[in-house]
Amino acid sequence: MSRTIVVTGGATGIGRAVAERFRADGDTVVITGRRAELLEKASAELGAQAVVCDGTDPDQVRRLVEALPGEVHVLVNNAGGNTDFSAPGDGDLAALKNNWLANYDANVLTAVLTTTALAPRIADRGAVVHVGSIAGTRGAGSYGAAKAALATWNQDVAAELGPRGITSNVVAPGFTAGTEFFQGRLTGERRERLLEATMTKREGEVGDIAAAIHFLGSPAARHITAQVLHVNGGALTSR
Ligand SMILES: NC(=O)c1ccc[n+]([C@@H]2O[C@H](COP(=O)([O-])OP(=O)(O)OC[C@H]3O[C@@H](n4cnc5c(N)ncnc54)[C@H](OP(=O)(O)O)[C@@H]3O)[C@@H](O)[C@H]2O)c1
């Protein structure tokens, strides 16, 4: 059966790999993002549909839902990233507040608005998958705190949608290459440290994350819900 999959932030990095994975099944895939040109190029390459949507803007999210065809079988809340690479403690509390709110908006509100608006349109026995982070457990300032909030809120989504057979889970990547995440700030030394922290001694690939998300959206995973699945090469263990 061909399904409809929505991937927020689907033009680059992990989101793009997720879109590609579902397209390989012949699914209808809708990708979103803020940069129209990038989105158009990616959708043409993937054979996906594109909807320009800033997931932090309620009006744009409402218009996204109106633009979607019929039922949605899998929603992947992938949009996000670390909006705050600044060092804390320079004493500017107003800037600190803005930085924390920006990461909350980018990583929590995008998922909350999209899931809430789309919930009535998600097919029974469908799936919601949020992209969290190793930082949500390990900590990383406002970014880690936002990803932790996302994982906590996932419990609510799973409980609310569970009676319809809809699952809701978080996939929490560790360091994953092939994305715009580090915005050119990843030094060779930091990369080495991140690799050294894994048990597999390699960097994560976007396909590693896409495979986990694809599984959680599949018929095989209909009784897995309210969980956080870490995909990090053993850099963090869940017990
Ligand atoms: N790469 C890693 O090592 C890593 C590790 C752990 C978790 N993650 C998580 O993985 C997810 C995907 O990130 P990535 O690593 O693939 O980096 P990425 O290449 O920067 O992808 C992020 C995508 O999200 C979109 N986006 C950001 N804010 C948005 C908004 N307000 N509304 C709509 N789209 C938005 C971006 O497109 P526009 O800018 O065009 O909107 C971009 O396509 C993020 O949630 C990130 O926190 C990444």
Side-chain angles (χ1 to χ4, degrees):
M1 182 190 81
S2 170
R3 305 187 297 169
T4 297
I5 318 295
V6 174
V7 185
T8 67
T12 67
I14 291 168
R16 184 184 166 116
V18 172
E20 200 170 10
R21 182 63 194 82
F22 282 103
R23 279 297 296 139
D25 288 345
D27 290 332
T28 298
V29 176
V30 180
I31 60 174
T32 76
R34 293 166 298 183
R35 288 167 291 174
E37 212 172 297
L38 195 69
L39 204 59
E40 287 306 329
K41 186 170 180 292
S43 63
E45 288 165 2
L46 293 164
Q49 296 173 26
V51 179
V52 176
C53 176
D54 180 343
T56 67
D57 181 333
D59 289 334
Q60 292 188 41
V61 172
R62 187 178 41 75
R63 285 200 292 276
L64 162 69
V65 173
E66 286 167 5
L68 292 174
E71 282 188 322
V72 169
H73 300 86
V74 182
L75 165 63
V76 183
N77 287 313
N78 164 78
N82 191 351
T83 60
D84 178 12
F85 283 102
S86 63
D90 64 0
D92 183 345
L93 289 184
L96 185 69
K97 173 181 170 176
N98 289 339
N99 290 343
W100 274 70
L101 290 178
N103 249 332
Y104 190 84
D105 282 356
N107 293 287
V108 185
L109 261 188
T110 50
V112 171
L113 293 178
T114 309
T115 305
T116 305
L118 210 56
R121 299 271 292 278
I122 299 175
D124 289 355
R125 297 182 60 75
V128 181
V129 184
H130 317 280
V131 179
S133 173
I134 190 172
T137 303
R138 186 162 270 174
S142 58
Y143 175 65
K147 290 299 195 185
L150 180 69
T152 302
W153 174 72
N154 173 54
Q155 310 285 314
D156 295 333
V157 181
E160 279 166 30
L161 302 183
R164 291 166 52 198
I166 300 168
T167 58
S168 180
N169 293 287
V170 174
V171 168
F175 167 46
T176 307
T179 80
E180 296 182 351
F181 182 84
F182 289 96
Q183 299 161 32
R185 295 165 204 250
L186 183 65
T187 62
E189 191 193 337
R190 172 103 194 273
R191 181 178 172 278
E192 281 310 309
R193 267 191 280 120
L194 290 168
L195 288 193
E196 194 46 44
T198 66
M199 297 178 184
T200 52
K201 303 302 170 200
R202 71 164 174 88
E203 59 193 15
E205 296 168 4
V206 291
D208 294 323
I209 313 303
I213 292 171
H214 182 261
F215 167 66
L216 288 171
S218 75
R222 291 308 82 222
H223 204 50
I224 302 174
T225 197
Q227 306 300 316
V228 176
L229 174 57
H230 291 277
V231 184
N232 58 37
L236 174 89
T237 59
S238 53
R239 61 169 299 162

